[in-house]
PDB file of all heavy atoms in Angstrom:
ATOM      1  N   MET A 301       3.189 -14.895  15.065  1.00  0.00           N
ATOM      2  CA  MET A 301       3.923 -14.490  13.851  1.00  0.00           C
ATOM      3  C   MET A 301       4.427 -12.966  13.887  1.00  0.00           C
ATOM      4  O   MET A 301       5.269 -12.516  13.177  1.00  0.00           O
ATOM      5  CB  MET A 301       3.300 -14.712  12.521  1.00  0.00           C
ATOM      6  CG  MET A 301       2.924 -16.092  12.298  1.00  0.00           C
ATOM      7  SD  MET A 301       4.402 -16.997  11.896  1.00  0.00           S
ATOM      8  CE  MET A 301       4.820 -16.417  10.160  1.00  0.00           C
ATOM      9  N   GLY A 302       3.761 -12.246  14.797  1.00  0.00           N
ATOM     10  CA  GLY A 302       4.092 -10.795  14.914  1.00  0.00           C
ATOM     11  C   GLY A 302       5.162 -10.702  16.057  1.00  0.00           C
ATOM     12  O   GLY A 302       5.732  -9.378  16.115  1.00  0.00           O
ATOM     13  N   LYS A 303       5.539 -11.700  16.729  1.00  0.00           N
ATOM     14  CA  LYS A 303       6.610 -11.498  17.701  1.00  0.00           C
ATOM     15  C   LYS A 303       7.928 -11.267  17.169  1.00  0.00           C
ATOM     16  O   LYS A 303       8.254 -11.861  16.089  1.00  0.00           O
ATOM     17  CB  LYS A 303       6.543 -12.724  18.719  1.00  0.00           C
ATOM     18  CG  LYS A 303       5.350 -12.750  19.489  1.00  0.00           C
ATOM     19  CD  LYS A 303       5.348 -13.902  20.480  1.00  0.00           C
ATOM     20  CE  LYS A 303       3.983 -14.068  21.161  1.00  0.00           C
ATOM     21  NZ  LYS A 303       3.765 -13.108  22.280  1.00  0.00           N
ATOM     22  N   ALA A 304       8.641 -10.338  17.757  1.00  0.00           N
ATOM     23  CA  ALA A 304      10.017  -9.909  17.228  1.00  0.00           C
ATOM     24  C   ALA A 304      10.880 -11.087  16.843  1.00  0.00           C
ATOM     25  O   ALA A 304      11.504 -11.222  15.744  1.00  0.00           O
ATOM     26  CB  ALA A 304      10.700  -9.100  18.161  1.00  0.00           C
ATOM     27  N   LEU A 305      10.958 -12.051  17.891  1.00  0.00           N
ATOM     28  CA  LEU A 305      11.966 -13.044  17.593  1.00  0.00           C
ATOM     29  C   LEU A 305      11.490 -14.170  16.571  1.00  0.00           C
ATOM     30  O   LEU A 305      12.299 -14.827  15.917  1.00  0.00           O
ATOM     31  CB  LEU A 305      12.402 -13.692  18.969  1.00  0.00           C
ATOM     32  CG  LEU A 305      13.782 -13.610  19.420  1.00  0.00           C
ATOM     33  CD1 LEU A 305      14.778 -14.185  18.576  1.00  0.00           C
ATOM     34  CD2 LEU A 305      13.947 -12.044  19.425  1.00  0.00           C
ATOM     35  N   VAL A 306      10.193 -14.268  16.397  1.00  0.00           N
ATOM     36  CA  VAL A 306       9.591 -15.174  15.353  1.00  0.00           C
ATOM     37  C   VAL A 306       9.874 -14.612  13.975  1.00  0.00           C
ATOM     38  O   VAL A 306      10.330 -15.305  13.105  1.00  0.00           O
ATOM     39  CB  VAL A 306       7.977 -15.333  15.646  1.00  0.00           C
ATOM     40  CG1 VAL A 306       7.478 -16.068  14.535  1.00  0.00           C
ATOM     41  CG2 VAL A 306       7.890 -15.949  17.034  1.00  0.00           C
ATOM     42  N   GLN A 307       9.795 -13.145  13.998  1.00  0.00           N
ATOM     43  CA  GLN A 307      10.063 -12.657  12.697  1.00  0.00           C
ATOM     44  C   GLN A 307      11.673 -12.739  12.361  1.00  0.00           C
ATOM     45  O   GLN A 307      11.942 -12.615  11.218  1.00  0.00           O
ATOM     46  CB  GLN A 307       9.651 -11.211  12.601  1.00  0.00           C
ATOM     47  CG  GLN A 307       8.133 -11.077  13.021  1.00  0.00           C
ATOM     48  CD  GLN A 307       7.637  -9.646  12.418  1.00  0.00           C
ATOM     49  OE1 GLN A 307       8.330  -8.669  12.171  1.00  0.00           O
ATOM     50  NE2 GLN A 307       6.465  -9.580  12.296  1.00  0.00           N
ATOM     51  N   ASP A 308      12.404 -12.845  13.422  1.00  0.00           N
ATOM     52  CA  ASP A 308      13.849 -12.925  13.229  1.00  0.00           C
ATOM     53  C   ASP A 308      14.316 -14.297  12.632  1.00  0.00           C
ATOM     54  O   ASP A 308      15.455 -14.469  12.266  1.00  0.00           O
ATOM     55  CB  ASP A 308      14.588 -12.651  14.578  1.00  0.00           C
ATOM     56  CG  ASP A 308      15.156 -11.373  14.644  1.00  0.00           C
ATOM     57  OD1 ASP A 308      14.917 -10.499  13.821  1.00  0.00           O
ATOM     58  OD2 ASP A 308      15.849 -11.133  15.679  1.00  0.00           O
ATOM     59  N   ILE A 309      13.496 -15.306  12.825  1.00  0.00           N
ATOM     60  CA  ILE A 309      13.911 -16.661  12.580  1.00  0.00           C
ATOM     61  C   ILE A 309      14.295 -16.793  11.151  1.00  0.00           C
ATOM     62  O   ILE A 309      15.392 -17.336  10.785  1.00  0.00           O
ATOM     63  CB  ILE A 309      12.804 -17.827  12.814  1.00  0.00           C
ATOM     64  CG1 ILE A 309      12.527 -17.828  14.451  1.00  0.00           C
ATOM     65  CG2 ILE A 309      13.119 -19.165  12.403  1.00  0.00           C
ATOM     66  CD1 ILE A 309      11.321 -18.511  14.795  1.00  0.00           C
ATOM     67  N   LEU A 310      13.630 -16.234  10.162  1.00  0.00           N
ATOM     68  CA  LEU A 310      13.956 -16.384   8.759  1.00  0.00           C
ATOM     69  C   LEU A 310      15.332 -15.636   8.399  1.00  0.00           C
ATOM     70  O   LEU A 310      16.106 -16.314   7.688  1.00  0.00           O
ATOM     71  CB  LEU A 310      12.815 -15.777   7.976  1.00  0.00           C
ATOM     72  CG  LEU A 310      11.543 -16.586   7.640  1.00  0.00           C
ATOM     73  CD1 LEU A 310      10.744 -15.937   6.685  1.00  0.00           C
ATOM     74  CD2 LEU A 310      11.847 -17.952   7.394  1.00  0.00           C
ATOM     75  N   LEU A 311      15.466 -14.587   9.089  1.00  0.00           N
ATOM     76  CA  LEU A 311      16.770 -13.869   8.860  1.00  0.00           C
ATOM     77  C   LEU A 311      17.843 -14.570   9.415  1.00  0.00           C
ATOM     78  O   LEU A 311      19.048 -14.624   8.854  1.00  0.00           O
ATOM     79  CB  LEU A 311      16.663 -12.361   9.214  1.00  0.00           C
ATOM     80  CG  LEU A 311      16.241 -11.458   8.113  1.00  0.00           C
ATOM     81  CD1 LEU A 311      14.775 -11.318   8.172  1.00  0.00           C
ATOM     82  CD2 LEU A 311      17.057 -10.186   8.193  1.00  0.00           C
ATOM     83  N   PHE A 312      17.693 -14.980  10.668  1.00  0.00           N
ATOM     84  CA  PHE A 312      18.722 -15.822  11.294  1.00  0.00           C
ATOM     85  C   PHE A 312      19.219 -16.984  10.448  1.00  0.00           C
ATOM     86  O   PHE A 312      20.333 -17.229  10.363  1.00  0.00           O
ATOM     87  CB  PHE A 312      18.249 -16.225  12.666  1.00  0.00           C
ATOM     88  CG  PHE A 312      19.144 -17.013  13.497  1.00  0.00           C
ATOM     89  CD1 PHE A 312      20.337 -16.529  14.058  1.00  0.00           C
ATOM     90  CD2 PHE A 312      18.948 -18.501  13.530  1.00  0.00           C
ATOM     91  CE1 PHE A 312      21.274 -17.335  14.855  1.00  0.00           C
ATOM     92  CE2 PHE A 312      19.823 -19.238  14.324  1.00  0.00           C
ATOM     93  CZ  PHE A 312      20.945 -18.619  14.912  1.00  0.00           C
ATOM     94  N   ARG A 313      18.263 -17.556   9.935  1.00  0.00           N
ATOM     95  CA  ARG A 313      18.549 -18.762   9.193  1.00  0.00           C
ATOM     96  C   ARG A 313      19.087 -18.545   7.790  1.00  0.00           C
ATOM     97  O   ARG A 313      20.095 -19.170   7.387  1.00  0.00           O
ATOM     98  CB  ARG A 313      17.129 -19.639   8.981  1.00  0.00           C
ATOM     99  CG  ARG A 313      16.702 -20.475  10.293  1.00  0.00           C
ATOM    100  CD  ARG A 313      15.585 -21.467   9.860  1.00  0.00           C
ATOM    101  NE  ARG A 313      16.037 -22.359   8.830  1.00  0.00           N
ATOM    102  CZ  ARG A 313      15.163 -22.969   8.139  1.00  0.00           C
ATOM    103  NH1 ARG A 313      13.860 -22.835   8.241  1.00  0.00           N
ATOM    104  NH2 ARG A 313      15.734 -23.831   7.065  1.00  0.00           N
ATOM    105  N   PHE A 314      18.428 -17.720   7.085  1.00  0.00           N
ATOM    106  CA  PHE A 314      18.812 -17.467   5.666  1.00  0.00           C
ATOM    107  C   PHE A 314      19.787 -16.342   5.352  1.00  0.00           C
ATOM    108  O   PHE A 314      20.311 -16.178   4.236  1.00  0.00           O
ATOM    109  CB  PHE A 314      17.631 -17.390   4.906  1.00  0.00           C
ATOM    110  CG  PHE A 314      16.708 -18.686   5.017  1.00  0.00           C
ATOM    111  CD1 PHE A 314      15.401 -18.473   5.521  1.00  0.00           C
ATOM    112  CD2 PHE A 314      17.260 -19.829   4.670  1.00  0.00           C
ATOM    113  CE1 PHE A 314      14.647 -19.668   5.623  1.00  0.00           C
ATOM    114  CE2 PHE A 314      16.312 -21.015   4.683  1.00  0.00           C
ATOM    115  CZ  PHE A 314      15.121 -20.871   5.202  1.00  0.00           C
TER     116      PHE A 314
END
Side-chain angles (χ1 to χ4, degrees):
M301 294 289 291
K303 290 183 187 284
L305 252 290
V306 173
Q307 298 201 347
D308 255 8
I309 295 171
L310 285 189
L311 265 96
F312 176 75
R313 286 190 53 198
F314 299 118

